[in-house]
Each structure stands twice: as structure tokens, then as C-alpha cells.
Amino acid sequence: MSRPTVFVSRKLPEAAMAIIRRTCEVTLWPEEERPVPPNELVARLREADGALLMLSDRIDGAVLDAAGPRCRVIANMAVGYDNIDIAACTQRGVLVTNTPGVLTDTTADLAFALLMAAARRLGEGQRLIQADRWTGWSPMFMVGQEITGATIGIVGAGRIGQAVAKRAAGFDMRLLYHNRKPSADMAALGAEYRGLDDLLRESDFVVVLLPLSAETRGLFGEREFRLMKPTAVFVNAARGPIVQEGALYRALQEGWIWAAGLDVFAAEPIRADHPLLSLDNVTAVPHIGSATVQTRTRMATLAAENLVAVVTGGRPITPVNPQVLDQ
Ligand code: GLV
Ligand code: GLV
């Protein structure tokens, strides 16, 4: 049997490329900084038995139909898969895999780092020094919000939400969480369940760790920010479109809430003239939740193993739509 051909949409760490090359012919999108354009993606999928893609690559029914029937698996190098229309893939018998588990702690670390940076004004402080506006010490200069002992409200009780709860417990925080349904794991960590409105009213820190779906798109708007405390810090390390950015801008500018730490934005990458960046009380980083050498290598390796398993006739480790395997 001839070796399967697979398309890989970004250069991966060598450990992951080696896994793929052992059994497959690889075509690689050669540009490291620029995602493969949509028409080019279709052309590559047409010639491939499977593809390893990034969250910047969009897959829907139209793309799959244009690409034709050859490609049987999309291995997404991310835990989130809102870039892929799963129903459209399932309908066409295309298996989708993601990378859960391997990035949980790393992403929780970044969420907690943003919480701390926003509460203690780290980005603003650095910008102040760089602008040569540090004139001396004074009692209420650059005062932030206390973290130890504060109340954190975690929205989303998945793996990453639980890992954030563990970190918060180490800071003696009172733990609240909201989720579609109560979570025994969260309860075991000492977190109390709240309806979303009550969580927003009671929390000093609101940390969003939900997947993006039809249910969560635009979940945080004017009403939600107005329910929060004027001293509240809002952290989004999940997906940008969960937040209505215009409402968040007003909340921060008009003092409905105190600060925000953001890893994700409605349309990425954002440019330097994005309105949120004009606010001193915004700490922004460029979607780096899982970005450590170790974790990105693990994600690439897991995605590679999933891809190779499917194109060589085996079962993937972490399928999103396993029902395709039984079709
Ligand atoms: C990153 O945002 C991921 O979903 O892995
Ligand atoms: C992702 O792994 C999550 O469940 O939060």
C-alpha cells in the first residue's frame, strides 16, 4: 500500500514532524507567520488523505465540498475547535481530533498570570516607566486590587477552569463557579456553584474558560458587565467572541468594572489601534494561553499521533466526533 499523503498547515516542532514522516508523505505550508489562505487550503486538502491544522484555519461544509472526498481527518492543534464545523465534518464522514489535557496547566497558568497582571497593573506600570512618567513613590501610586483572600468566579468548569480553581485555592481565594451543570470536580476543589448573575455580582475576579459555541457567543455584554463590581477584574483566556468587545470597552472606560486581562479577541490578530489597547486598565497578550515550548511540543505531537492513527487505519487518541469511526 502506498504511503498516505497529509497536509500540515504550519511548521511543527521536529518531534511531531518525525512522527508524521515515519508513515506519511507530508506537504507543508511553508510560511511560518502567515496562515494558509482559504483557496490554498482547499487545494491542499484535495490532494491529502488527512490534514493537521491550526485554529486559524477554518473548515466548514463549503470548504469540505470544494476539497472533495479524499481528506478523511482534520487533526486540530488546539483544544478548542470552534474553527471547525463539526456537524459538517460528521455528515461527510470526516473525523476531527483536538488536543485536550496536554495544555490544561499551561493555559491555567496564563489565565492566572493575566488575573494577577491586571489586578496589580503590571502592563500599565511598564508602559509608565517606558514613557518616562515614573516620578517617585507616593501612598496611593499605582495601587491595584488585593488577590489573596478575594472571591474568584470561574465561568466554565472544564479541565482548565478546574486548574484555575486549584491555583486560586493556593491564594486563599473564595471559589465560585458557573457552568451549564454543577460539577462534582469543582465541588471537590471547594468551589460553590452559582447562577451566572449571582457569580458576576459576588466575584472580585471573573475568569472565563468556556468553549466558543452558539450558546456562549456574545455571552458577556452590557448587562453582564453592569452586574459586576466596579472593582472587578475580568479575565478572558478562552475565545474572544464570547465577549461583546464594545460593551467591554465601555465597562472599562466608564468604570463599571476595574480592569481586564485578555488573551483573546473577537477578530485576531488585533492591531495596535484596537480601541481596548487605548485603555490603561487593559492587559493584553496575543493568544498565548498554551504557548510554552513544552506544551506546544506536546500539542503538536498529540495532533500528529491523531493524524497518523487515522490515515493508517487506526483509532485516534482524542477524537471530537468519534461517531464517525462507527459509520
Ligand atoms: C487554544 O486556544 C486552544 O484551543 O488550544
Ligand atoms: C479544556 O481542556 C477544558 O476542558 O477546559
Side-chain angles (χ1 to χ4, degrees):
M1 209 180 99
S2 70
R3 285 156 63 89
T5 296
V6 296
F7 172 59
V8 177
S9 75
R10 283 309 167 87
K11 186 162 180 289
L12 303 176
E14 192 42 46
M17 294 304 298
I19 290 169
I20 303 172
R21 284 203 199 95
R22 229 178 287 148
T23 48
C24 304
E25 296 306 317
V26 181
T27 56
L28 181 64
W29 177 244
E31 294 185 41
E32 290 193 26
E33 300 302 331
R34 195 173 66 101
V36 52
N39 57 335
E40 192 66 32
L41 178 59
V42 166
R44 304 288 172 128
L45 294 179
R46 190 186 291 280
E47 317 268 288
D49 301 300
L52 192 158
L53 303 182
M54 309 297 133
L55 50 81
S56 44
D57 303 318
R58 305 211 70 85
I59 295 289
D60 56 21
V63 169
L64 294 173
D65 290 341
R70 180 161 169 187
C71 180
R72 306 318 300 159
V73 54
I74 304 289
N76 211 37
M77 186 178 142
V79 66
Y81 42 80
D82 49 280
N83 57 313
I84 300 172
D85 182 339
I86 302 298
C89 288
T90 305
Q91 240 172 39
R92 291 162 181 79
V94 175
L95 197 68
V96 179
T97 68
N98 68 338
T99 62
V102 296
L103 48 65
T104 303
D105 286 315
T106 310
T107 307
D109 287 346
L110 191 274
F112 214 81
L114 275 176
L115 177 159
M116 299 190 81
R120 301 303 302 275
R121 306 170 67 164
L122 301 191
E124 184 186 353
Q126 175 157 354
R127 291 192 295 273
L128 178 139
I129 296 173
Q130 284 172 333
D132 209 14
R133 287 191 285 114
W134 186 18
T135 54
W137 193 94
S138 73
M140 299 306 273
F141 173 60
M142 288 290 294
V143 290
Q145 299 293 336
E146 191 74 6
I147 296 162
T148 299
T151 298
I152 186 172
I154 300 170
V155 185
R159 297 176 194 83
I160 302 171
Q162 292 170 38
V164 168
K166 281 187 202 162
R167 284 152 181 74
F171 284 77
D172 295 331
M173 296 177 96
R174 177 166 165 253
L175 309 180
L176 307 178
Y177 76 99
H178 176 72
N179 200 49
R180 265 185 308 196
K181 44 185 198 309
S183 149
D185 294 320
M186 277 295 208
L189 291 164
E192 292 172 40
Y193 184 83
R194 287 288 186 280
L196 183 59
D197 289 1
D198 285 336
L199 177 142
L200 298 176
R201 284 191 200 100
E202 287 180 56
S203 298
D204 300 307
F205 295 89
V206 174
V207 181
V208 181
L209 290 161
L210 291 167
L212 175 61
S213 67
E215 263 175 275
T216 64
R217 185 176 291 275
L219 180 64
F220 285 83
E222 169 163 351
R223 188 183 153 278
E224 287 65 34
F225 291 119
R226 285 198 189 274
L227 286 174
M228 291 168 61
K229 298 181 183 182
T231 50
V233 172
F234 177 77
V235 174
N236 186 3
R239 284 291 184 270
I242 296 172
V243 174
Q244 299 173 32
E245 282 183 351
L248 176 59
Y249 176 85
R250 286 186 55 214
L252 289 161
Q253 214 224 355
E254 297 174 17
W256 315 347
I257 69 173
W258 196 75
L262 305 171
D263 184 39
V264 290
F265 300 87
E268 298 173 5
I270 59 169
R271 311 300 340 160
D273 62 359
H274 191 287
L276 283 167
L277 299 181
S278 70
L279 301 174
D280 273 339
N281 53 352
V282 168
T283 304
V285 292
H287 203 147
I288 55 172
S290 63
T292 65
V293 174
Q294 295 81 357
T295 288
R296 284 290 167 81
T297 303
R298 281 196 293 267
M299 289 165 68
T301 303
L302 176 53
E305 284 167 347
N306 279 324
L307 175 74
V308 167
V310 179
V311 296
T312 57
R315 287 185 83 86
I317 303 162
T318 49
V320 171
N321 55 351
Q323 60 272 38
V324 169
L325 292 163
D326 309 318
Q327 277 171 14

